[in-house]
């Protein structure tokens, strides 16, 4: 008989993924704490929320076929009023972080989803400050692959095939950075692939730490212009849910 862990996932499968999980934990801590550490010097940390989301995935994941493990894709994160206020002050970029890390964990564990990922924060006075409650469910639906840029805690959906970023008022996204040119870089998106091009800037551009003039733009890439850090993401989100309604 095959031993089965909570949620119906065979224990042998889980043991074989310990190395992947260790690597994921290190990446999760680096990404989340690196992005939001200054805003969260005390109280509930974003890393604790992502850990709770991961536990929820692992607990609710169920083997539905020999090669298919189905995990929940719609999450409600219940927070105390004070923690809710602090989390929502960071805006949609925080939800982008949570969504991306759920995607990564699902990939590492070979989990499948019935639809796009939806994560909503909810104020819950019954939750003790510093703790988190997670409710989840499997919801079948359309998946919307949404390219976004996270810049300084703000989320910018890429709605056009070409988006120019710079300090000039004529740029599509204007940044307050004296080290950036008026039109510094352009982001191209053809519906499936991204590309970043330096527009002859004075101080140059970097992609994942390397100087570039033109380069493909994989998901989770980091573009640096002047002092500004731009994160490019492609998120598998639920098409029928506005999970950012409370964060705008």
């Amino acid at each position: 008989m095959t031993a089965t862990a909570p949620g119906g996932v065979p224990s042998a499968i889980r043991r074989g993924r310990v190395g992947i999980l260790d690597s994921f934990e290190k990446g999760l801590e680096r990404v989340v704490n690196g992005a939001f550490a200054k805003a969260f010097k005390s109280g509930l940390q974003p890393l604790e929320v992502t850990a709770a989301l991961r536990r929820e995935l692992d607990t609710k994941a169920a083997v539905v076929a020999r090669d298919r493990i189905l995990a929940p894709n719609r999450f409600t994160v219940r927070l105390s009023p004070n923690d809710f206020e602090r989390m929502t002050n960071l805006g949609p970029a925080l939800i982008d972080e949570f969504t991306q890390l759920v995607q990564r964990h699902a990939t590492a564990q070979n989990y499948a989803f019935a639809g796009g990922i939806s994560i909503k924060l909810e104020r819950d006075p019954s939750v003790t400050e510093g703790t988190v409650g997670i409710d989840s469910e499997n919801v079948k639906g359309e998946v919307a692959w949404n390219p976004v840029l996270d810049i300084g805690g703000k989320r910018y959906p890429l709605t056009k095939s070409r988006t120019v970023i710079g300090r000039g008022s004529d740029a599509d996204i204007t940044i307050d950075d004296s080290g950036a040119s008026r039109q510094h870089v352009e982001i191209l998106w053809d519906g499936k692939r991204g590309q970043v091009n330096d527009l002859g800037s004075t101080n140059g551009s970097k992609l994942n730490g390397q100087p570039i003039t033109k380069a493909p733009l994989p998901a989770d890439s980091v573009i640096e212009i002047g002092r500004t850090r731009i994160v490019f993401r492609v998120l598998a989100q639920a098409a029928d849910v506005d999970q950012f309604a409370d964060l705008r």
Side-chain angles (χ1 to χ4, degrees):
M1 178 180 293
T2 301
T4 302
V9 179
S11 298
I13 294 176
R14 291 177 181 272
R15 286 195 299 271
R17 296 177 184 146
V18 170
I20 295 175
L21 282 176
D22 287 344
S23 175
F24 174 81
E25 286 285 4
K26 292 176 183 177
L28 181 152
E29 185 171 4
R30 182 176 62 254
V31 171
V32 176
N33 282 353
F36 302 115
K38 291 182 180 179
F40 288 87
K41 294 181 179 179
S42 62
L44 184 70
Q45 301 296 307
L47 182 61
E48 295 174 90
V49 177
T50 55
L53 287 166
R54 191 204 72 193
R55 287 193 299 271
E56 185 72 9
L57 281 166
D58 291 342
T59 300
K60 296 290 183 66
V63 177
V64 295
R66 186 177 184 86
D67 58 350
R68 181 173 169 82
I69 304 173
L70 190 63
N73 62 307
R74 188 164 294 184
F75 303 87
T76 300
V77 179
R78 294 181 290 106
L79 305 168
S80 72
N82 285 342
D83 287 330
F84 176 84
E85 189 71 23
R86 289 162 61 250
M87 293 281 179
T88 54
N89 280 343
L90 288 178
L94 181 63
I95 298 295
D96 289 350
E97 288 285 353
F98 292 158
T99 302
Q100 191 70 12
L101 290 167
V102 165
Q103 287 180 207
R104 288 179 181 174
H105 187 58
T107 299
Q109 297 291 74
N110 291 329
Y111 294 158
F113 295 123
I117 299 168
S118 168
I119 302 175
K120 295 191 71 173
L121 306 184
E122 180 178 280
R123 183 194 304 267
D124 187 343
S126 69
V127 175
T128 303
E129 187 170 353
T131 64
V132 58
I134 305 285
D135 297 325
S136 67
E137 57 182 334
N138 289 305
V139 179
K140 189 174 181 180
E142 295 296 322
V143 179
W145 291 93
N146 297 321
V148 301
L149 300 176
D150 287 341
I151 308 174
K154 295 183 179 180
R155 175 178 177 265
Y156 297 89
L158 295 182
T159 58
K160 302 189 298 182
S161 60
R162 180 178 185 262
T163 301
V164 174
I165 305 171
R167 64 178 174 83
S169 59
D170 53 345
D172 297 303
I173 299 175
T174 301
I175 58 175
D176 183 12
D177 187 338
S178 60
S181 297
R182 293 185 60 83
Q183 292 195 355
H184 198 111
V185 295
E186 64 178 4
I187 307 297
L188 306 181
W189 175 255
D190 67 1
K192 295 181 179 178
R193 295 175 297 274
Q195 180 174 310
V196 57
N197 299 329
D198 185 275
L199 297 175
S201 66
T202 301
N203 295 323
S205 306
K206 291 183 179 180
L207 178 64
N208 298 324
Q210 299 300 315
I212 57 100
T213 55
K214 177 186 295 186
L217 190 60
D220 301 332
S221 294
V222 177
I223 304 163
E224 295 174 79
I225 61 176
R227 301 182 308 277
T228 302
R229 182 176 183 270
I230 303 166
V231 183
F232 172 73
R233 308 188 188 284
V234 182
L235 304 175
Q237 297 171 325
D240 60 336
V241 175
D242 183 3
Q243 57 192 342
F244 302 104
D246 296 330
L247 303 180
R248 294 193 178 99

